Amino acid sequence: MGFLGRIFKGSTKEEENMTNSKLKIGIILGSTRQGRVSPQVGQWVKGIADKREDAEYEIVDIADFKLPFLGEGTGQEPGLQAWNEKLASLDGFVFIVQEYNHSITGALKNALDSAREAWNNKAAGIVSYGSTGGARAAEHLRGILGELKVADVRTHPTLSLFTDFENYSVFKPAELHLTNMNAMLDEVIAWSGALKTIR
Ligand SMILES: Cc1cc2nc3c(=O)[nH]c(=O)nc-3n(C[C@H](O)[C@H](O)[C@H](O)COP(=O)(O)O)c2cc1C
């Protein structure tokens, strides 16, 4: 029983929802190209996250939604509606970010632009990869997330195409990333829970 329950001798429905239901965190794959490595990275993140048992984690693959390029469709595409509904059902995000020309992919930018309120007042962590750990793409993403009212946490695992992948294609992450991954997830869970209270 929570603090309202102790005062009023019973829990409110809102309080029960806030304390009993697990947070829902989407692990968003930022690339959609054929031959992409993002599913391998996403599955690794999910494996680490699931062991924590502190939230419901799911992979959210932008490619599944067949989003039209913003403004070029009718706006009534089922994928567009499904994308907004999926985001609305989530409390927080972990973005799997790959660096394309020193920024995020066009697919991720389009997916970010394709929703608005469904992003607001939620938290996000970033896991990035590239020749310099995808750092430049991740920093671009932080600027975009600010505009969407997504609170991005500080801890940011960066994976190297040179040392965390074999032949730039088979994901073999170094052991050292595990500590950073869990620190990032700790922050995402804390902030996702906090922001849920203001939505
Ligand atoms: C169009 C394009 C541009 C890229 N530009 C960069 C870049 O600026 N910096 C970098 O570190 N890697 C760059 N790369 C390499 C990608 O980070 C690498 O191919 C990575 O595997 C892409 O993620 P994905 O396999 O999930 O699509 C680029 C790749 C593509 C396809």
Side-chain angles (χ1 to χ4, degrees), residues 31 33 36-38 98-102 129-132 136 161:
S31 60
R33 74 176 178 95
R36 64 193 169 148
V37 300
S38 56
Q98 41 299 118
E99 186 166 305
Y100 281 21
N101 294 318
H102 289 200
Y129 53 89
S131 60
T132 55
R136 294 165 292 215
L161 279 179

Side-chain angles (χ1 to χ4, degrees), residues 1 11 21 23 84-85 92 111 122 129 131 133 140 146 149 168 173:
M1 187 183 292
S11 300
S21 64
L23 294 167
N84 275 266
E85 283 168 6
K122 296 177 180 176
Y129 53 89
S131 60
H140 275 185
K149 300 192 207 173
Y168 311 106

Side-chain angles (χ1 to χ4, degrees), residues 168-184:
Y168 311 106
S169 55
V170 181
F171 187 43
K172 299 260 172 85
E175 196 68 29
L176 62 92
H177 297 300
L178 196 59
T179 308
N180 239 6
M181 275 293 308
N182 276 305
M184 179 273 290

Side-chain angles (χ1 to χ4, degrees), residues 1-21:
M1 187 183 292
F3 72 100
L4 289 177
R6 279 193 289 275
I7 294 168
F8 297 113
K9 305 277 182 281
S11 300
T12 65
K13 193 106 203 112
E14 289 83 337
E15 195 182 13
E16 271 173 23
N17 285 342
M18 265 164 55
T19 52
N20 295 348
S21 64

